[in-house]
Amino acid sequence: MTTETPKPSLSLWRHRHFYLFIAPFFLIFAVFGLYPLLFSLYLSFVKWDGLTQIHWAGLSNFQKMAHDDQLWTALSNTVVIGLLYVPPMMILAFVFAQLLNAPWLKFKSLYRAAFFIPCVTPMAVIAFVFQLIFSSEHGVLNYALQHLFPFLHLTPIPWLESEGWSKAAIAILVVWRWTGYNMVLMLAGLQGIPGDYYEAAELDGASKIQQMIHITLPLLKPTLAFCGLLSLLGTLYMFDEIFVMTNGGPGSSSTNFGMYLFQISFDDFRLGYASCVAYSVALIVVLATMLMNRMNRKNVEAGLR
Amino acid sequence: MTPTQTQQSATAPARTQPKAAVSTRKWRQNLERGAIYAVLTIFALIFIFPFYWLVISAFKTQGQMFAMPPQWIPQPGTLQNFVDLFHKTNLPRAFVNSVIVSGANVFFSVFLCSLAGYAFAKYPLAPGRDRLYNFVLGTMLIPGAVTLIPSYMILVRLHWIDSYAALIIPGIVGAFGIFWMRQYMIANVPDDLINAARIDGCSEFGIYWRIVVPVARPALAALGIMQLIGSWNNLMWAFIVLRTKAMYTLPLVIYLLNGENTQPYGMLMAGGLLTTLPLVLAFLFFQKQFIAGITSGAVKQ
């Protein structure tokens, strides 16, 4: 007993450098991460406009969510936008990464730069460029489509003026912006796969496609899962792109969850309700991620066996 | 060709393929490679096009901007957009603000994340280390949206609204940075090096500063550039916490040029070009380190 009690504090002292080194992070994190997290949890149970008195609201915020048509529109828009852009983005990123990984390819850094520069550019700027490109009467995209495919007799597409096309326009913008980022992550993943595997497969007479299915894809799975998770979160909380290009419109056709959250908190000042919505959805995301992780781990283990 | 293959074909000439077959195979390979170059080039041009359009539009008059057919190269070009921009906004000030905010943000975040990442990577015996690290990772899933309102309120309480601190400090701690640094250091910083320094009497911080930082430079550069991109381009947070024009950062100035009904596209493009160019140049300049940093330390779980 007497020898055991001083032990923890002694070892804490022995490892004081560890705690000292992580302390600055945790101090700032406590103020700007942890406290806000707890406070917004509290806010989900109140009614508050940020200025006047806080009113306890119990669970009424949560009940409100069920009847909030705008929220459901925003969530379904989020899903549609995600479905429109995630598959093409992942496929393009994978193909680019695969091609740029070829040892015989020249001008690699030029191609890499071309694909990566979009995600360096500020959205506040680029969204306006895309407004120009997407303009239905004067836009270069419609012009190009009409002249590249004259046999289709296309009428100008109202990219930003129609409820359906606005989602497609956002999806195109996002594919353009984030493909390069995913490509670099996948390149990193590809370079982590030992070349011996391919040599062995080649000796056994495996075709390129077989190599891709049986070596590349299984071993790239953690990277792909990581990219998928980033895209999921990115779709849900996407803001700048939509804010500047369509401001959620026309109507609320391109309002995703992040945009809606911003509107109810900083346009309507329904801070309690906004916290409640943010918390609920974040909770679902965390649970979904944990589930995905668990399933993925099983897959990876099964794949290795 | 591997050495064994060449040897084989040299010692057993009977088994080498006829010349015609070799040349068709070569021809096919060339065709395949040519097709890959073509695909990559077409996509590269598509991806670079909006950026080209930004550059070119900055030198167009309003009329040229909406001309049909589109003007691929403005004739004649104009500098009026830049002149207007400098008359109507305080662009130099915004540029200085952006440099200060991004510079401080990048420096502190790389410093704190590498310090903590080093601690998580190389002090395996510290009690509670894994629990703390899992906690840090868990916070990665929590979106900024949840903490947006309370963070804003804290800044109000601290009287930091409309200050550099409001833009710099909340953004410097990120779980991703720690995750990034830890991954890299586990794989690339040898324990022997650390132990040797310790035996030589180097202080713990000295080890971090003199040994770990130089070894981890690619990872620091990669994280720094990622942080720079995020911080330089940040619109939403600047929009929320800034009040006075003197504090505006570049993206905010550009965004606020936007009128209620009319968009002054010329000025938007000129300002956009000036905002974008520093980052693009920085990326092109550091591309090698950046890609090397990412590929050496990234998601090899």
Side-chain angles (χ1 to χ4, degrees), chain A residues 86-139:
Chain A
V86 176
M89 182 185 74
M90 295 283 272
I91 292 171
L92 277 181
F94 181 74
V95 170
F96 293 160
Q98 190 80 4
L99 294 181
L100 287 186
N101 203 29
W104 51 267
L105 194 82
K106 295 194 176 81
F107 313 116
K108 266 187 196 143
S109 60
L110 224 59
Y111 287 121
R112 242 176 3 212
F115 297 132
F116 197 81
I117 277 179
C119 53
V120 175
T121 52
M123 215 52 241
V125 171
I126 287 302
F128 291 117
V129 180
F130 271 79
Q131 278 185 4
L132 279 179
I133 293 175
F134 280 129
S135 158
S136 54
E137 297 290 321
H138 312 284

CSV table of all heavy atoms in Angstrom, one decimal, chain A residues 86-139:
chain,number,residue,atom,x,y,z
A,86,VAL,N,-19.2,12.5,-55.2
A,86,VAL,CA,-18.3,11.6,-54.6
A,86,VAL,C,-17.8,10.5,-55.5
A,86,VAL,O,-16.6,10.3,-55.7
A,86,VAL,CB,-18.7,11.0,-53.2
A,86,VAL,CG1,-17.7,10.0,-52.7
A,86,VAL,CG2,-19.0,12.1,-52.2
A,87,PRO,N,-18.7,9.7,-56.2
A,87,PRO,CA,-18.2,8.7,-57.1
A,87,PRO,C,-17.3,9.2,-58.2
A,87,PRO,O,-16.2,8.7,-58.4
A,87,PRO,CB,-19.5,8.1,-57.6
A,87,PRO,CG,-20.6,8.4,-56.7
A,87,PRO,CD,-20.2,9.7,-56.1
A,88,PRO,N,-17.7,10.2,-59.0
A,88,PRO,CA,-16.8,10.7,-60.0
A,88,PRO,C,-15.5,11.2,-59.5
A,88,PRO,O,-14.4,10.9,-60.0
A,88,PRO,CB,-17.5,11.8,-60.7
A,88,PRO,CG,-18.7,12.1,-59.9
A,88,PRO,CD,-19.0,11.0,-59.0
A,89,MET,N,-15.5,11.8,-58.3
A,89,MET,CA,-14.3,12.4,-57.7
A,89,MET,C,-13.3,11.3,-57.3
A,89,MET,O,-12.2,11.3,-57.6
A,89,MET,CB,-14.6,13.2,-56.5
A,89,MET,CG,-13.4,13.9,-55.9
A,89,MET,SD,-13.8,14.8,-54.4
A,89,MET,CE,-14.1,13.4,-53.3
A,90,MET,N,-13.9,10.2,-56.7
A,90,MET,CA,-13.0,9.1,-56.2
A,90,MET,C,-12.5,8.4,-57.4
A,90,MET,O,-11.3,8.0,-57.4
A,90,MET,CB,-13.8,8.2,-55.3
A,90,MET,CG,-14.3,8.8,-54.0
A,90,MET,SD,-13.0,8.9,-52.8
A,90,MET,CE,-13.1,7.3,-52.0
A,91,ILE,N,-13.3,8.1,-58.4
A,91,ILE,CA,-12.8,7.4,-59.6
A,91,ILE,C,-11.7,8.2,-60.3
A,91,ILE,O,-10.7,7.6,-60.6
A,91,ILE,CB,-14.0,7.1,-60.5
A,91,ILE,CG1,-14.9,6.1,-59.8
A,91,ILE,CG2,-13.5,6.5,-61.9
A,91,ILE,CD1,-16.2,5.8,-60.6
A,92,LEU,N,-12.0,9.5,-60.5
A,92,LEU,CA,-11.0,10.3,-61.2
A,92,LEU,C,-9.7,10.3,-60.4
A,92,LEU,O,-8.6,10.1,-61.0
A,92,LEU,CB,-11.5,11.7,-61.4
A,92,LEU,CG,-12.4,12.0,-62.6
A,92,LEU,CD1,-12.8,13.5,-62.6
A,92,LEU,CD2,-11.7,11.6,-63.9
A,93,ALA,N,-9.8,10.5,-59.1
A,93,ALA,CA,-8.6,10.6,-58.3
A,93,ALA,C,-7.8,9.3,-58.3
A,93,ALA,O,-6.6,9.3,-58.5
A,93,ALA,CB,-9.0,10.9,-56.8
A,94,PHE,N,-8.6,8.2,-58.3
A,94,PHE,CA,-7.9,6.9,-58.3
A,94,PHE,C,-7.2,6.7,-59.7
A,94,PHE,O,-6.0,6.3,-59.7
A,94,PHE,CB,-8.9,5.8,-58.1
A,94,PHE,CG,-8.3,4.4,-58.1
A,94,PHE,CD1,-7.6,4.0,-57.0
A,94,PHE,CD2,-8.5,3.6,-59.2
A,94,PHE,CE1,-7.0,2.7,-57.1
A,94,PHE,CE2,-7.9,2.3,-59.2
A,94,PHE,CZ,-7.2,1.9,-58.1
A,95,VAL,N,-7.9,7.0,-60.8
A,95,VAL,CA,-7.3,6.9,-62.1
A,95,VAL,C,-6.1,7.8,-62.3
A,95,VAL,O,-5.0,7.3,-62.7
A,95,VAL,CB,-8.3,7.2,-63.2
A,95,VAL,CG1,-7.7,7.2,-64.6
A,95,VAL,CG2,-9.4,6.1,-63.2
A,96,PHE,N,-6.2,9.0,-61.9
A,96,PHE,CA,-5.0,9.9,-62.0
A,96,PHE,C,-3.9,9.4,-61.1
A,96,PHE,O,-2.7,9.4,-61.6
A,96,PHE,CB,-5.4,11.4,-61.5
A,96,PHE,CG,-6.4,12.1,-62.3
A,96,PHE,CD1,-7.1,13.1,-61.9
A,96,PHE,CD2,-6.6,11.7,-63.7
A,96,PHE,CE1,-8.0,13.8,-62.7
A,96,PHE,CE2,-7.5,12.3,-64.5
A,96,PHE,CZ,-8.3,13.4,-64.0
A,97,ALA,N,-4.2,9.0,-59.9
A,97,ALA,CA,-3.1,8.5,-59.0
A,97,ALA,C,-2.4,7.3,-59.7
A,97,ALA,O,-1.2,7.2,-59.7
A,97,ALA,CB,-3.7,8.2,-57.7
A,98,GLN,N,-3.2,6.4,-60.2
A,98,GLN,CA,-2.7,5.2,-60.8
A,98,GLN,C,-1.8,5.6,-62.0
A,98,GLN,O,-0.7,5.1,-62.1
A,98,GLN,CB,-3.9,4.4,-61.3
A,98,GLN,CG,-3.5,3.0,-61.7
A,98,GLN,CD,-3.3,2.0,-60.5
A,98,GLN,OE1,-3.5,2.4,-59.4
A,98,GLN,NE2,-2.9,0.8,-60.8
A,99,LEU,N,-2.3,6.5,-62.9
A,99,LEU,CA,-1.5,6.9,-64.0
A,99,LEU,C,-0.2,7.6,-63.7
A,99,LEU,O,0.8,7.4,-64.2
A,99,LEU,CB,-2.4,7.7,-65.0
A,99,LEU,CG,-3.6,7.0,-65.6
A,99,LEU,CD1,-4.3,8.0,-66.6
A,99,LEU,CD2,-3.1,5.8,-66.4
A,100,LEU,N,-0.4,8.5,-62.7
A,100,LEU,CA,0.8,9.3,-62.3
A,100,LEU,C,1.8,8.5,-61.5
A,100,LEU,O,3.0,8.9,-61.3
A,100,LEU,CB,0.4,10.5,-61.4
A,100,LEU,CG,-0.3,11.7,-62.2
A,100,LEU,CD1,-0.5,12.8,-61.3
A,100,LEU,CD2,0.5,12.1,-63.4
A,101,ASN,N,1.4,7.3,-61.1
A,101,ASN,CA,2.4,6.4,-60.4
A,101,ASN,C,3.2,5.6,-61.3
A,101,ASN,O,4.2,5.0,-60.9
A,101,ASN,CB,1.6,5.5,-59.4
A,101,ASN,CG,2.4,5.0,-58.3
A,101,ASN,OD1,3.4,5.7,-57.9
A,101,ASN,ND2,2.2,3.9,-57.8
A,102,ALA,N,2.9,5.7,-62.6
A,102,ALA,CA,3.7,4.9,-63.6
A,102,ALA,C,5.1,5.4,-63.7
A,102,ALA,O,5.3,6.6,-63.8
A,102,ALA,CB,3.0,4.9,-65.0
A,103,PRO,N,6.1,4.5,-63.6
A,103,PRO,CA,7.5,5.0,-63.5
A,103,PRO,C,8.0,5.6,-64.8
A,103,PRO,O,8.9,6.4,-64.8
A,103,PRO,CB,8.3,3.7,-63.2
A,103,PRO,CG,7.4,2.5,-63.5
A,103,PRO,CD,6.0,3.0,-63.4
A,104,TRP,N,7.4,5.2,-66.0
A,104,TRP,CA,7.9,5.7,-67.3
A,104,TRP,C,7.3,7.1,-67.6
A,104,TRP,O,7.7,7.7,-68.6
A,104,TRP,CB,7.5,4.8,-68.4
A,104,TRP,CG,6.0,4.4,-68.4
A,104,TRP,CD1,5.5,3.3,-67.8
A,104,TRP,CD2,5.0,5.1,-69.0
A,104,TRP,NE1,4.1,3.3,-68.0
A,104,TRP,CE2,3.8,4.4,-68.7
A,104,TRP,CE3,4.9,6.2,-69.8
A,104,TRP,CZ2,2.5,4.8,-69.1
A,104,TRP,CZ3,3.6,6.7,-70.2
A,104,TRP,CH2,2.5,5.9,-69.9
A,105,LEU,N,6.3,7.6,-66.8
A,105,LEU,CA,5.6,8.8,-67.2
A,105,LEU,C,6.5,10.0,-67.0
A,105,LEU,O,7.2,10.2,-66.0
A,105,LEU,CB,4.4,9.0,-66.3
A,105,LEU,CG,3.4,10.0,-66.8
A,105,LEU,CD1,2.5,9.5,-67.9
A,105,LEU,CD2,2.5,10.6,-65.7
A,106,LYS,N,6.5,10.9,-68.0
A,106,LYS,CA,7.3,12.2,-67.9
A,106,LYS,C,6.3,13.3,-67.5
A,106,LYS,O,5.1,13.2,-67.6
A,106,LYS,CB,8.0,12.4,-69.2
A,106,LYS,CG,9.0,11.4,-69.6
A,106,LYS,CD,9.9,11.9,-70.7
A,106,LYS,CE,11.0,10.9,-71.0
A,106,LYS,NZ,10.6,9.8,-71.8
A,107,PHE,N,6.9,14.4,-67.2
A,107,PHE,CA,6.1,15.7,-66.8
A,107,PHE,C,5.2,15.4,-65.6
A,107,PHE,O,4.2,16.0,-65.5
A,107,PHE,CB,5.3,16.2,-68.0
A,107,PHE,CG,6.0,16.3,-69.3
A,107,PHE,CD1,5.7,15.5,-70.3
A,107,PHE,CD2,7.1,17.1,-69.4
A,107,PHE,CE1,6.4,15.5,-71.5
A,107,PHE,CE2,7.8,17.2,-70.6
A,107,PHE,CZ,7.4,16.4,-71.7
A,108,LYS,N,5.6,14.5,-64.7
A,108,LYS,CA,4.8,14.2,-63.6
A,108,LYS,C,4.4,15.4,-62.8
A,108,LYS,O,3.2,15.6,-62.4
A,108,LYS,CB,5.5,13.2,-62.7
A,108,LYS,CG,5.2,11.8,-63.0
A,108,LYS,CD,5.8,10.9,-61.9
A,108,LYS,CE,5.8,9.5,-62.5
A,108,LYS,NZ,6.8,8.6,-62.2
A,109,SER,N,5.4,16.2,-62.5
A,109,SER,CA,5.1,17.3,-61.5
A,109,SER,C,4.1,18.3,-62.2
A,109,SER,O,3.4,19.0,-61.5
A,109,SER,CB,6.4,18.0,-61.1
A,109,SER,OG,7.1,18.5,-62.2
A,110,LEU,N,4.2,18.4,-63.5
A,110,LEU,CA,3.3,19.3,-64.3
A,110,LEU,C,1.9,18.8,-64.1
A,110,LEU,O,1.0,19.6,-63.8
A,110,LEU,CB,3.7,19.4,-65.7
A,110,LEU,CG,3.8,20.7,-66.4
A,110,LEU,CD1,4.7,21.6,-65.7
A,110,LEU,CD2,4.2,20.6,-67.8
A,111,TYR,N,1.7,17.5,-64.4
A,111,TYR,CA,0.3,17.0,-64.3
A,111,TYR,C,-0.2,17.1,-62.8
A,111,TYR,O,-1.3,17.5,-62.6
A,111,TYR,CB,0.3,15.5,-64.7
A,111,TYR,CG,0.5,15.3,-66.2
A,111,TYR,CD1,1.5,14.6,-66.7
A,111,TYR,CD2,-0.5,15.8,-67.1
A,111,TYR,CE1,1.7,14.4,-68.1
A,111,TYR,CE2,-0.3,15.6,-68.4
A,111,TYR,CZ,0.7,14.9,-68.9
A,111,TYR,OH,0.9,14.7,-70.3
A,112,ARG,N,0.7,16.8,-61.9
A,112,ARG,CA,0.3,16.8,-60.5
A,112,ARG,C,-0.2,18.2,-60.1
A,112,ARG,O,-1.2,18.4,-59.5
A,112,ARG,CB,1.5,16.4,-59.6
A,112,ARG,CG,1.2,15.2,-58.8
A,112,ARG,CD,2.4,14.7,-58.0
A,112,ARG,NE,3.6,15.5,-58.1
A,112,ARG,CZ,4.8,15.0,-58.0
A,112,ARG,NH1,5.0,13.7,-57.8
A,112,ARG,NH2,5.9,15.8,-58.0
A,113,ALA,N,0.6,19.2,-60.6
A,113,ALA,CA,0.3,20.6,-60.3
A,113,ALA,C,-1.1,21.0,-60.9
A,113,ALA,O,-1.9,21.6,-60.2
A,113,ALA,CB,1.4,21.5,-60.8
A,114,ALA,N,-1.3,20.5,-62.1
A,114,ALA,CA,-2.6,20.9,-62.8
A,114,ALA,C,-3.7,20.3,-62.0
A,114,ALA,O,-4.8,21.0,-61.8
A,114,ALA,CB,-2.6,20.3,-64.2
A,115,PHE,N,-3.6,19.1,-61.5
A,115,PHE,CA,-4.7,18.5,-60.7
A,115,PHE,C,-4.8,19.1,-59.3
A,115,PHE,O,-5.9,19.0,-58.7
A,115,PHE,CB,-4.6,17.0,-60.7
A,115,PHE,CG,-4.7,16.4,-62.1
A,115,PHE,CD1,-3.8,15.4,-62.5
A,115,PHE,CD2,-5.7,16.7,-62.9
A,115,PHE,CE1,-3.9,14.8,-63.7
A,115,PHE,CE2,-5.8,16.2,-64.2
A,115,PHE,CZ,-4.9,15.2,-64.6
A,116,PHE,N,-3.7,19.5,-58.8
A,116,PHE,CA,-3.7,19.9,-57.4
A,116,PHE,C,-4.0,21.4,-57.2
A,116,PHE,O,-4.6,21.8,-56.2
A,116,PHE,CB,-2.4,19.6,-56.7
A,116,PHE,CG,-2.5,19.6,-55.2
A,116,PHE,CD1,-3.0,18.5,-54.5
A,116,PHE,CD2,-2.1,20.7,-54.5
A,116,PHE,CE1,-3.1,18.5,-53.1
A,116,PHE,CE2,-2.2,20.7,-53.1
A,116,PHE,CZ,-2.8,19.7,-52.4
A,117,ILE,N,-3.7,22.2,-58.2
A,117,ILE,CA,-3.8,23.7,-58.0
A,117,ILE,C,-5.3,24.1,-57.6
A,117,ILE,O,-5.5,25.0,-56.8
A,117,ILE,CB,-3.3,24.4,-59.3
A,117,ILE,CG1,-1.8,24.6,-59.1
A,117,ILE,CG2,-4.0,25.8,-59.4
A,117,ILE,CD1,-1.1,25.3,-60.2
A,118,PRO,N,-6.3,23.4,-58.2
A,118,PRO,CA,-7.7,23.8,-57.8
A,118,PRO,C,-7.9,23.8,-56.3
A,118,PRO,O,-8.6,24.7,-55.8
A,118,PRO,CB,-8.5,22.7,-58.4
A,118,PRO,CG,-7.8,22.3,-59.6
A,118,PRO,CD,-6.3,22.4,-59.3
A,119,CYS,N,-7.3,22.9,-55.5
A,119,CYS,CA,-7.6,23.0,-54.1
A,119,CYS,C,-6.7,24.0,-53.3
A,119,CYS,O,-6.8,24.2,-52.1
A,119,CYS,CB,-7.6,21.6,-53.4
A,119,CYS,SG,-6.2,20.6,-53.7
A,120,VAL,N,-5.8,24.7,-54.0
A,120,VAL,CA,-5.0,25.7,-53.4
A,120,VAL,C,-5.8,27.1,-53.5
A,120,VAL,O,-5.6,28.0,-52.8
A,120,VAL,CB,-3.7,25.9,-54.1
A,120,VAL,CG1,-2.9,27.0,-53.6
A,120,VAL,CG2,-2.9,24.6,-53.9
A,121,THR,N,-6.7,27.1,-54.5
A,121,THR,CA,-7.4,28.4,-54.8
A,121,THR,C,-8.5,28.7,-53.8
A,121,THR,O,-9.2,27.8,-53.4
A,121,THR,CB,-8.0,28.4,-56.2
A,121,THR,OG1,-8.8,27.2,-56.3
A,121,THR,CG2,-6.9,28.4,-57.3
A,122,PRO,N,-8.6,30.0,-53.4
A,122,PRO,CA,-9.7,30.3,-52.5
A,122,PRO,C,-11.1,30.2,-53.1
A,122,PRO,O,-11.3,30.7,-54.2
A,122,PRO,CB,-9.3,31.7,-52.1
A,122,PRO,CG,-8.5,32.3,-53.1
A,122,PRO,CD,-7.8,31.1,-53.8
A,123,MET,N,-11.9,29.6,-52.3
A,123,MET,CA,-13.3,29.4,-52.8
A,123,MET,C,-14.0,30.8,-53.1
A,123,MET,O,-14.8,30.9,-54.0
A,123,MET,CB,-14.1,28.6,-51.8
A,123,MET,CG,-15.1,27.7,-52.4
A,123,MET,SD,-14.3,26.7,-53.7
A,123,MET,CE,-15.3,27.2,-55.1
A,124,ALA,N,-13.7,31.7,-52.2
A,124,ALA,CA,-14.3,33.0,-52.3
A,124,ALA,C,-14.1,33.6,-53.7
A,124,ALA,O,-14.9,34.4,-54.3
A,124,ALA,CB,-13.8,34.0,-51.3
A,125,VAL,N,-13.0,33.2,-54.3
A,125,VAL,CA,-12.6,33.7,-55.7
A,125,VAL,C,-13.2,32.8,-56.7
A,125,VAL,O,-13.8,33.2,-57.7
A,125,VAL,CB,-11.1,33.8,-55.8
A,125,VAL,CG1,-10.7,34.1,-57.2
A,125,VAL,CG2,-10.5,34.8,-54.9
A,126,ILE,N,-12.9,31.5,-56.5
A,126,ILE,CA,-13.2,30.5,-57.6
A,126,ILE,C,-14.7,30.4,-57.9
A,126,ILE,O,-15.1,30.2,-59.0
A,126,ILE,CB,-12.6,29.2,-57.2
A,126,ILE,CG1,-11.1,29.2,-57.4
A,126,ILE,CG2,-13.2,28.1,-58.0
A,126,ILE,CD1,-10.6,29.6,-58.8
A,127,ALA,N,-15.5,30.6,-56.8
A,127,ALA,CA,-17.0,30.5,-57.0
A,127,ALA,C,-17.4,31.5,-58.1
A,127,ALA,O,-18.3,31.2,-58.9
A,127,ALA,CB,-17.7,30.6,-55.7
A,128,PHE,N,-16.8,32.7,-58.0
A,128,PHE,CA,-17.2,33.7,-59.0
A,128,PHE,C,-16.8,33.3,-60.4
A,128,PHE,O,-17.5,33.6,-61.4
A,128,PHE,CB,-16.6,35.1,-58.6
A,128,PHE,CG,-17.3,35.6,-57.4
A,128,PHE,CD1,-16.5,35.9,-56.2
A,128,PHE,CD2,-18.6,35.9,-57.4
A,128,PHE,CE1,-17.1,36.4,-55.1
A,128,PHE,CE2,-19.2,36.5,-56.2
A,128,PHE,CZ,-18.5,36.7,-55.1
A,129,VAL,N,-15.6,32.7,-60.5
A,129,VAL,CA,-15.1,32.3,-61.8
A,129,VAL,C,-16.1,31.2,-62.4
A,129,VAL,O,-16.5,31.3,-63.5
A,129,VAL,CB,-13.7,31.7,-61.7
A,129,VAL,CG1,-13.3,31.2,-63.1
A,129,VAL,CG2,-12.7,32.6,-61.1
A,130,PHE,N,-16.6,30.4,-61.5
A,130,PHE,CA,-17.5,29.4,-61.9
A,130,PHE,C,-18.9,30.0,-62.3
A,130,PHE,O,-19.6,29.5,-63.2
A,130,PHE,CB,-17.7,28.2,-60.9
A,130,PHE,CG,-16.7,27.1,-61.1
A,130,PHE,CD1,-15.4,27.3,-60.7
A,130,PHE,CD2,-17.0,26.0,-61.8
A,130,PHE,CE1,-14.4,26.3,-60.9
A,130,PHE,CE2,-16.1,25.0,-62.0
A,130,PHE,CZ,-14.8,25.1,-61.6
A,131,GLN,N,-19.2,31.1,-61.6
A,131,GLN,CA,-20.5,31.8,-62.0
A,131,GLN,C,-20.4,32.2,-63.4
A,131,GLN,O,-21.3,32.1,-64.2
A,131,GLN,CB,-20.7,33.0,-61.1
A,131,GLN,CG,-21.3,32.7,-59.8
A,131,GLN,CD,-21.6,34.0,-59.0
A,131,GLN,OE1,-21.4,35.1,-59.5
A,131,GLN,NE2,-22.1,33.8,-57.8
A,132,LEU,N,-19.2,32.7,-63.8
A,132,LEU,CA,-19.0,33.2,-65.2
A,132,LEU,C,-19.1,32.0,-66.1
A,132,LEU,O,-19.7,32.0,-67.2
A,132,LEU,CB,-17.6,33.8,-65.3
A,132,LEU,CG,-17.4,35.2,-64.9
A,132,LEU,CD1,-15.9,35.6,-65.1
A,132,LEU,CD2,-18.3,36.1,-65.7
A,133,ILE,N,-18.4,30.9,-65.7
A,133,ILE,CA,-18.3,29.7,-66.6
A,133,ILE,C,-19.7,29.1,-66.8
A,133,ILE,O,-20.1,28.6,-67.8
A,133,ILE,CB,-17.3,28.7,-66.0
A,133,ILE,CG1,-15.9,29.3,-66.1
A,133,ILE,CG2,-17.4,27.4,-66.8
A,133,ILE,CD1,-14.8,28.4,-65.5
A,134,PHE,N,-20.5,29.1,-65.7
A,134,PHE,CA,-21.8,28.4,-65.7
A,134,PHE,C,-22.9,29.3,-66.2
A,134,PHE,O,-24.0,28.8,-66.4
A,134,PHE,CB,-22.2,28.0,-64.3
A,134,PHE,CG,-21.5,26.7,-63.8
A,134,PHE,CD1,-20.8,26.6,-62.6
A,134,PHE,CD2,-21.6,25.6,-64.6
A,134,PHE,CE1,-20.3,25.5,-62.2
A,134,PHE,CE2,-21.0,24.4,-64.2
A,134,PHE,CZ,-20.3,24.3,-63.0
A,135,SER,N,-22.6,30.6,-66.5
A,135,SER,CA,-23.7,31.5,-66.9
A,135,SER,C,-24.4,30.9,-68.1
A,135,SER,O,-23.8,30.4,-69.0
A,135,SER,CB,-23.1,32.8,-67.3
A,135,SER,OG,-23.9,33.5,-68.1
A,136,SER,N,-25.8,30.9,-68.0
A,136,SER,CA,-26.5,30.2,-69.1
A,136,SER,C,-26.4,30.8,-70.4
A,136,SER,O,-26.3,30.2,-71.5
A,136,SER,CB,-28.0,30.0,-68.6
A,136,SER,OG,-28.5,31.2,-68.3
A,137,GLU,N,-26.5,32.2,-70.5
A,137,GLU,CA,-26.4,32.9,-71.8
A,137,GLU,C,-25.0,33.1,-72.3
A,137,GLU,O,-24.7,32.9,-73.4
A,137,GLU,CB,-27.1,34.2,-71.6
A,137,GLU,CG,-28.6,34.1,-71.3
A,137,GLU,CD,-29.4,33.6,-72.5
A,137,GLU,OE1,-29.1,33.9,-73.6
A,137,GLU,OE2,-30.3,32.7,-72.2
A,138,HIS,N,-24.1,33.5,-71.3
A,138,HIS,CA,-22.8,33.9,-71.7
A,138,HIS,C,-21.7,33.0,-71.2
A,138,HIS,O,-20.5,33.4,-71.3
A,138,HIS,CB,-22.5,35.4,-71.2
A,138,HIS,CG,-23.7,36.3,-71.4
A,138,HIS,ND1,-23.9,36.9,-72.6
A,138,HIS,CD2,-24.6,36.8,-70.6
A,138,HIS,CE1,-24.9,37.6,-72.6
A,138,HIS,NE2,-25.4,37.6,-71.4
A,139,GLY,N,-22.1,31.9,-70.7
A,139,GLY,CA,-21.1,31.0,-70.1
A,139,GLY,C,-20.3,30.2,-71.1
A,139,GLY,O,-20.9,29.8,-72.1
